Amino acid sequence: MSSAQFFNYPGTETNAEQYHYSQAVKIGNTVRTSGQGGWDEKGNVEPDLERQIGLTFDNILKALKAVDSRLSLDDVYAIRSYHLDVDTSFNIMTTQFREQFPNHRPIWTCIQIGKLGLEGMQVEIEVEASIPV
């Protein structure tokens, strides 16, 4: 079995140090991200839900590319999303899926919860991807 390798992307080093976690892990040819949110390079969370979800996908891609520059959203096969209000965010998420994954449909688990890790976050998304051989 391959040993785990951990990765962060630029702009997330402070959280990595302060909270002692990584943005992505690689085990063999599988990559998993930690929960990504709609924050900018300075860590500010976007208040507009639609833009927040768009930024979240940008951050997912940054986390994947920190592991392997060949990775793209085309390599994502599983998604877990956590929502403060599924009724408000569900249609925005599915619209983003159609835009971000035009050629395939990853499996998806969608969960409503009471609170997320950073103030202002309305959605948090984890993904799993397979590194191209």
Side-chain angles (χ1 to χ4, degrees):
M1 180 168 162
S2 300
S3 62
Q5 296 175 285
F6 299 91
F7 300 84
N8 289 296
Y9 55 88
T12 62
E13 299 90 348
T14 301
N15 280 353
E17 287 300 317
Q18 186 173 2
Y19 304 120
H20 200 72
Y21 78 103
S22 299
Q23 297 298 326
V25 62
K26 173 186 170 191
I27 302 175
N29 71 335
T30 299
V31 175
R32 291 186 64 179
T33 68
S34 64
Q36 299 296 297
W39 52 71
D40 63 19
E41 297 80 20
K42 295 179 181 174
N44 301 312
V45 175
E46 167 61 50
D48 177 79
L49 179 59
E50 190 167 347
R51 288 196 301 262
Q52 186 178 122
I53 292 172
L55 271 174
T56 302
F57 279 103
D58 292 346
N59 290 333
I60 288 166
L61 188 55
K62 289 176 187 176
L64 293 174
K65 291 206 174 283
V67 175
D68 190 310
S69 62
R70 298 173 297 163
L71 283 168
S72 73
L73 294 178
D74 290 339
D75 301 303
V76 171
Y77 61 84
I79 300 168
R80 277 170 305 286
S81 60
Y82 305 91
H83 306 251
L84 295 185
D85 182 357
V86 171
D87 292 336
T88 302
S89 57
F90 189 87
N91 289 336
I92 296 170
M93 283 291 291
T94 58
T95 297
Q96 281 288 323
F97 284 178
R98 287 182 183 92
E99 293 174 14
Q100 303 291 343
F101 307 103
N103 300 316
H104 74 292
R105 297 176 183 167
I107 61 172
W108 179 30
T109 301
C110 177
I111 305 161
Q112 181 166 310
I113 62 172
K115 186 174 181 178
L116 294 165
L118 296 176
E119 189 66 36
M121 283 178 59
Q122 301 173 65
V123 171
E124 186 168 343
I125 303 172
E126 301 174 343
V127 302
E128 293 182 32
S130 184
I131 297 174
V133 203

